[in-house]
Amino acid sequence: RSRRTAPRRRRTRSHCRSGEMFPRRLQASVRKFGTTSSSPLSWQPTGKPQQTLASGVEKSGVGLHSGASTTVRLLPAMAGEGRYFSPGPGRPRIPATVDHVVESPLCTTLRRGAARVLTVEHLLSALEASGVDNARLEIDGGDEVPILDGSAREWVEAIEEAGLCAAKDHNGNEIAKLATLIHEPMYVWRDDSFVAAFPQRKTKITSLLLAADGSLVSPWMT
């Protein structure tokens, strides 16, 4: 009787043999900083008013995951309303906040009740980077934001076309814009991926990309 043996697995050299390596490194960094406040973060006034779009603008395209052709209209909103999606008549508005994020593969999805909007990350990144604090985002033709060129570039260009202005509330008053102030290190991780935020006087983003086998794809970049 012949014996069947399982094929030997080829071992690959990895820079990160365990997902726990990232938390350990981060925890060491956290200990270096220590705690400077009873709360890890706070909101501080910037001395500037909240902004919204000076006019409306729209973009059309195809959803990456659904394949549906959709149109998104970016419209002005009042101060204090924030950024929110309006999926259609009779459906509740969906605030673009972390409280409405739901688990979804390969994209960020917002949900409120039965209403949802998929693949919102590039549009919301463009709004945040462009300084748009308040915006009404209408979507027609489906529930997925079009992927466009696969980046936030076309959204940024659309926002520049619309222009910005100070947002006002229902009484015609401006509201101060707030910014997050981090007092102590914060981090989250899943498997071998992590995001960490540390107190800094200026915003600085550093990234590192590794392949599935642990080989270096892109070195630390700032």
Side-chain angles (χ1 to χ4, degrees), residues 162-200:
L164 302 181
C165 66
K168 296 183 178 180
D169 62 16
H170 293 277
N171 296 319
N173 299 319
E174 296 179 351
I175 297 179
K177 179 183 179 70
L178 303 179
T180 306
L181 182 63
I182 299 175
H183 300 291
E184 61 184 70
M186 305 172 64
Y187 62 89
V188 294
W189 75 88
R190 175 179 291 183
D191 299 326
D192 286 342
S193 301
F194 72 92
V195 176
F198 297 90
Q200 289 282 343

Side-chain angles (χ1 to χ4, degrees), residues 143-161:
D143 58 5
E144 184 175 15
V145 175
I147 192 63
L148 302 181
D149 71 346
S151 74
R153 180 179 62 85
E154 291 190 39
W155 292 117
V156 171
E157 292 174 349
I159 294 168
E160 291 176 346
E161 177 185 341

Side-chain angles (χ1 to χ4, degrees), residues 8-157:
R8 296 181 64 183
R9 292 185 178 180
R10 182 181 178 184
R11 293 186 178 181
T12 58
R13 188 173 182 179
S14 173
H15 295 281
C16 304
R17 296 183 180 180
S18 169
E20 289 301 314
M21 180 176 293
F22 288 111
R24 288 174 184 172
R25 289 180 178 177
L26 291 172
Q27 289 166 4
S29 298
V30 168
R31 286 193 293 270
K32 290 181 180 179
F33 277 86
T35 301
T36 59
S37 172
S38 58
S39 176
L41 59 85
S42 62
W43 294 91
Q44 301 291 332
T46 62
K48 300 178 181 179
Q50 292 183 14
Q51 296 189 109
T52 188
L53 298 163
S55 62
V57 65
E58 68 178 42
K59 298 289 291 185
S60 299
V62 177
L64 175 63
H65 303 284
S66 65
S69 296
T70 58
T71 297
V72 175
R73 286 182 292 276
L74 284 59
L75 302 171
M78 291 189 172
E81 287 189 322
R83 299 177 287 250
Y84 64 92
F85 285 89
S86 181
R91 306 179 73 183
R93 67 169 59 176
I94 307 175
T97 63
V98 68
D99 297 332
H100 293 85
V101 175
V102 295
E103 186 77 17
S104 60
L106 304 178
C107 71
T108 300
T109 298
L110 300 174
R111 179 187 291 275
R112 185 179 184 185
R116 69 171 188 173
V117 183
L118 290 74
T119 321
V120 301
E121 53 267 32
H122 294 164
L123 171 54
L124 295 182
S125 295
L127 291 168
E128 174 66 23
S130 300
V132 182
D133 305 296
N134 305 277
R136 176 184 175 91
L137 310 169
E138 297 182 350
I139 181 168
D140 291 331
D143 58 5
E144 184 175 15
V145 175
I147 192 63
L148 302 181
D149 71 346
S151 74
R153 180 179 62 85
E154 291 190 39
W155 292 117
V156 171
E157 292 174 349

